[in-house]
Amino acid sequence: MSSFYRILDFLKKQHILSLCCNTDYHHVWCANCFYVFNKYNMSFWIMTKLDTIHGSNLKKHPYVAGTINNQTKNILLVKGIQYKGYISILEGKIKKKHSIAIKKSFQCLL
């Protein structure tokens, strides 16, 4: 299996990412969010609210970075990735599709 497909497989198996964004005062704010990975456009659909500290910062400062790891206690088995990108707030049909994917993946959270 190529590295690319191993990364896709890893992302599909995980469900929490760290999300780091800028604030109005040039500080960094981080949060952990549940996500669904969309392999077709290489994006993360995260579950959060816009009235949180990171949510309000994301509206003004959409460039983000973060990490995803496998949460193991055995240091020999630690795996993870770092990412950076641009976040956008979903609306309309895409938001509905996102909501369905989140509800399917995280029924116990809703």
Side-chain angles (χ1 to χ4, degrees):
M1 182 186 297
S2 74
S3 296
F4 176 75
Y5 289 106
R6 282 195 299 257
I7 292 169
L8 289 180
D9 188 54
F10 174 79
L11 293 173
K12 197 165 62 172
K13 289 179 182 176
Q14 306 310 311
H15 60 278
I16 298 175
L17 56 74
S18 70
L19 176 71
C20 304
C21 57
N22 288 312
T23 70
D24 288 335
Y25 304 103
H26 305 290
H27 295 114
V28 177
W29 187 263
C30 297
N32 291 317
C33 299
F34 288 95
Y35 76 88
V36 173
F37 179 65
N38 182 336
K39 69 180 181 182
Y40 299 107
N41 64 5
M42 300 298 290
S43 66
F44 300 107
W45 291 349
I46 66 168
M47 185 171 155
T48 194
K49 296 200 178 269
L50 295 176
D51 62 354
T52 59
I53 293 172
H54 61 279
S56 63
N57 286 325
L58 293 171
K59 289 187 276 187
K60 298 180 232 169
H61 310 285
Y63 292 98
V64 297
T67 61
I68 301 170
N69 65 63
N70 62 347
Q71 302 289 320
T72 184
K73 290 184 178 183
N74 184 336
I75 196 163
L76 299 174
L77 300 176
V78 171
K79 295 179 185 175
I81 66 160
Q82 296 173 309
Y83 70 89
K84 65 178 180 175
Y86 178 87
I87 195 163
S88 57
I89 299 169
L90 301 179
E91 296 176 345
K93 291 180 183 179
I94 295 174
K95 183 177 181 178
K96 186 173 183 174
K97 184 178 179 179
H98 167 269
S99 296
I100 291 167
I102 288 288
K103 287 176 184 175
K104 183 178 175 183
S105 296
F106 302 109
Q107 294 175 5
C108 64
L109 299 175
L110 302 174

